[in-house]
Amino acid sequence: MSIELRLSRASRIYRPSEPLEGKIIVKSPSSISHYGIRLTLNGSVNLQVRGGSAGVIESFYGVLKPIPILKKSIEVRPSGKIGPGTAEIPFSMILRQPGEDNLERFYETFHGANISIQYLVSVDIMRGYLHKTISTTVEFIVESDAADLFERPVSPEMVIFYITQDTQRHPLLAELKSGGFRVTGKMSTQFSLSDPITGELTVEASALPICSIDIHLLRVESVLLGEKIVTETSLIQTTQIADGDVCHNLTLPIYVILPRLLTCPTILPGPFSIEFKACIVISFQSELSKLHSKSDPTSPRLWRWKLCHLNWFGQDRLIRTETTVTKMKMCI
């Protein structure tokens, strides 16, 4: 005997005001009796502290108590029998009724290193004391309601940046210090979560040939543990925008698509917070770099510049940045 949960949408994306619909598909070679078929919805923020900036005491606690978001259960069918073959049992369940009080706000689905916001739908076929309950679980994705998306209009904004050998705080190759280097550009600072990061970059001068120009997307997860906030920064993805030595004074486009499950609207500090950064990383060709071709891209190197450029803020699927040129800093 097998059981399958098949949601009505292949994308598995739903909004809180929409019904979660689908079918429970039961395959059995013979007729079976049951004591009810129950459908359960669970949503929670799962927190844990591990590695990185966590100390010995913080790591000892490990997984923290989840923050509940959603807890609902309905009986799809009362006690009865399921005939042999394949049986399809439809179901429909509203995530949030109008005017209903939630345990917590409906955060959007997010899979991080220390923080995970997850929504699950489970079905249980109860068969009494002499038989094991048959169950299966499927994750579905929650996004903000359409009304929330357009509550505030998104206006295009750009931040202008420039980097030279004088703006860097970590040690550099002697050739870069003496010969000089200058890169200018701009990047979008306010956009919807479904839009890409856009902008442009121009290499005006460089004493050494360039090996690669990349955009690092980072997540900054903070968890409140007692009176201490444990913060961990981790790499989500790397997007290369230039390979090899680029022509000087040539405008290079910046276009980075955000991975849906690994990003979410910024959540401001509370029991936890989730923020993001985009870093421009410029690597140069040198004899020293050839000896460390597989080095960690997040670590500072003599032949690499790393500029923390974007710091996202916002809510309801809007991502805003407030970083200016004077706030640019070295990312380690």
Side-chain angles (χ1 to χ4, degrees):
M1 178 179 176
S2 65
I3 182 173
E4 177 188 356
L5 260 176
R6 186 176 298 172
L7 300 181
S8 60
R9 299 176 183 176
S11 64
R12 295 181 290 129
I13 298 176
Y14 295 86
R15 293 186 167 86
S17 61
E18 297 175 337
L20 182 71
E21 299 177 328
K23 296 179 180 178
I24 303 169
I25 302 176
V26 181
K27 296 181 181 180
S28 176
S30 60
S31 178
I32 61 169
S33 299
H34 63 85
Y35 288 88
I37 301 176
R38 181 162 292 274
L39 192 74
T40 304
L41 300 183
N42 281 292
S44 62
V45 181
N46 303 307
L47 309 173
Q48 63 181 357
V49 176
R50 60 183 180 185
S53 60
V56 176
I57 297 178
E58 289 80 3
S59 299
F60 175 77
Y61 285 97
V63 179
L64 305 179
K65 185 177 180 180
I67 300 175
I69 300 175
L70 172 68
K71 181 70 174 181
K72 283 187 176 183
S73 182
I74 61 169
E75 187 177 60
V76 180
R77 279 195 180 180
S79 301
K81 286 188 176 182
I82 299 177
T86 301
E88 295 187 355
I89 306 171
F91 66 86
S92 178
M93 195 172 182
I94 297 290
L95 299 181
R96 177 174 61 188
Q97 297 285 355
E100 181 181 20
D101 292 332
N102 301 327
L103 296 176
E104 293 288 340
R105 58 171 288 189
F106 269 78
Y107 298 108
E108 291 202 13
T109 299
F110 171 73
H111 293 174
N114 293 335
I115 301 173
S116 177
I117 304 173
Q118 198 170 34
Y119 297 86
L120 303 173
V121 53
S122 304
V123 62
D124 299 299
I125 300 179
M126 292 162 285
R127 304 197 59 203
Y129 297 106
L130 300 179
H131 298 85
K132 184 179 179 180
T133 299
I134 304 171
S135 305
T136 188
T137 301
V138 172
E139 180 183 10
F140 62 96
I141 302 169
V142 170
E143 292 187 353
S144 298
D145 279 313
D148 296 332
L149 300 182
F150 303 103
E151 184 177 346
R152 288 174 294 277
V154 181
S155 58
E157 293 182 7
M158 289 278 180
V159 62
I160 299 174
F161 63 87
Y162 78 96
I163 47 179
T164 68
Q165 67 278 6
D166 298 326
T167 63
Q168 306 305 300
R169 296 183 180 179
H170 72 286
L172 300 175
L173 290 171
E175 300 93 323
L176 290 174
K177 276 189 173 182
S178 60
F181 179 81
R182 182 178 176 86
V183 168
T184 60
K186 59 183 179 179
M187 191 177 293
S188 54
T189 62
Q190 179 171 301
F191 45 87
S192 170
L193 186 62
S194 58
D195 295 334
I197 301 175
T198 58
E200 59 184 38
L201 178 146
T202 303
V203 179
E204 297 184 0
S206 176
L208 288 178
I210 293 174
C211 178
S212 177
I213 301 178
D214 305 276
I215 302 292
H216 284 346
L217 189 60
L218 307 173
R219 60 189 165 216
V220 183
E221 299 170 279
S222 299
V223 177
L224 182 62
L225 187 60
E227 297 181 353
K228 181 179 180 181
I229 298 177
V230 180
T231 301
E232 187 72 20
T233 301
S234 55
L235 180 67
I236 298 177
Q237 73 174 21
T238 298
T239 303
Q240 187 180 52
I241 62 174
D243 183 21
D245 195 20
V246 300
C247 297
H248 293 181
N249 297 315
L250 175 67
T251 300
L252 303 176
I254 296 175
Y255 192 91
V256 179
I257 297 177
L258 305 177
R260 173 59 194 93
L261 293 181
L262 302 181
T263 55
C264 68
T266 297
I267 299 175
L268 300 179
F272 67 98
S273 65
I274 303 174
E275 300 174 274
F276 302 90
K277 291 182 180 180
C279 300
I280 301 173
V281 180
I282 303 174
S283 301
F284 299 90
Q285 299 178 22
S286 69
E287 293 299 324
L288 187 58
S289 66
K290 295 177 182 178
L291 301 177
H292 304 273
S293 57
K294 296 183 179 180
S295 61
D296 182 5
T298 62
S299 301
R301 292 287 186 262
L302 295 175
W303 61 89
R304 180 184 293 127
W305 263 318
K306 189 166 187 177
L307 171 67
C308 277
H309 176 56
L310 292 186
N311 192 15
W312 301 353
F313 295 92
Q315 56 185 357
D316 298 330
R317 298 183 61 77
L318 298 183
I319 299 175
R320 299 183 177 89
T321 62
E322 298 179 356
T323 301
T324 62
V325 174
T326 57
K327 293 183 181 178
M328 290 189 297
K329 60 181 179 180
M330 177 71 188
C331 237
I332 297 178

